[in-house]
Amino acid sequence: QVQLVESGGGLVQPGGSLRLSCAASGSILSINVMGWYRQAPGKQRELVANITHGGTTNYADSVKGRFTVSRGDAKNTVYLQMNSLKPEDTAVYYCNHVSFLGDYWGQGTQVTVSS
């Protein structure tokens, strides 16, 4: 089992920034992919960004150039730096961890972009 705990969500004005954090614990393998998904009202959950153990990143087209995903030195943490936020970024953001042992999700953290 892997436990994921997200933090850093909140209310921010358009054009502002937030930094989300996710800490993983439990049965962690060195080879894994961690990332962020989001789900807005009336929409399906979608990939925002992810990062492999080796540092390869992948971003949704809608966030390229604005968001940055990174790992901590311990490799069991992942961050999402969100800049130039837009109202359409409003969603619940979920941390995700995938390895040969399984696919795990955090509870989610609310991000609201509004003036």
Side-chain angles (χ1 to χ4, degrees):
Q1 288 281 354
V2 174
Q3 296 79 44
L4 303 173
V5 180
E6 303 105 330
S7 63
L11 175 65
V12 65
Q13 293 187 344
S17 298
L18 284 174
R19 182 176 173 87
L20 305 183
S21 299
C22 175
S25 62
S27 301
I28 307 299
L29 297 181
S30 60
I31 301 175
N32 64 73
V33 178
M34 294 188 69
W36 295 92
Y37 289 70
R38 68 186 181 187
Q39 187 166 25
K43 299 181 65 177
Q44 293 189 2
R45 188 175 300 187
E46 64 176 356
L47 173 69
V48 177
N50 59 21
I51 182 169
T52 69
H53 177 74
T56 301
T57 58
N58 183 48
Y59 296 92
D61 288 341
S62 60
V63 307
K64 286 181 179 178
R66 300 189 296 121
F67 292 9
T68 302
V69 64
S70 61
R71 285 182 180 266
D73 291 341
K75 304 297 183 182
N76 61 350
T77 58
V78 65
Y79 305 98
L80 185 67
Q81 179 66 47
M82 304 187 293
N83 298 325
S84 302
L85 283 161
K86 305 174 181 179
E88 50 263 45
D89 295 318
T90 296
V92 178
Y93 284 70
Y94 297 90
C95 182
N96 173 249
H97 174 101
V98 180
S99 75
F100 290 117
L101 295 180
D103 188 347
Y104 301 91
W105 298 88
Q107 287 190 323
T109 184
Q110 177 71 47
V111 172
T112 302
V113 184
S114 176
S115 60

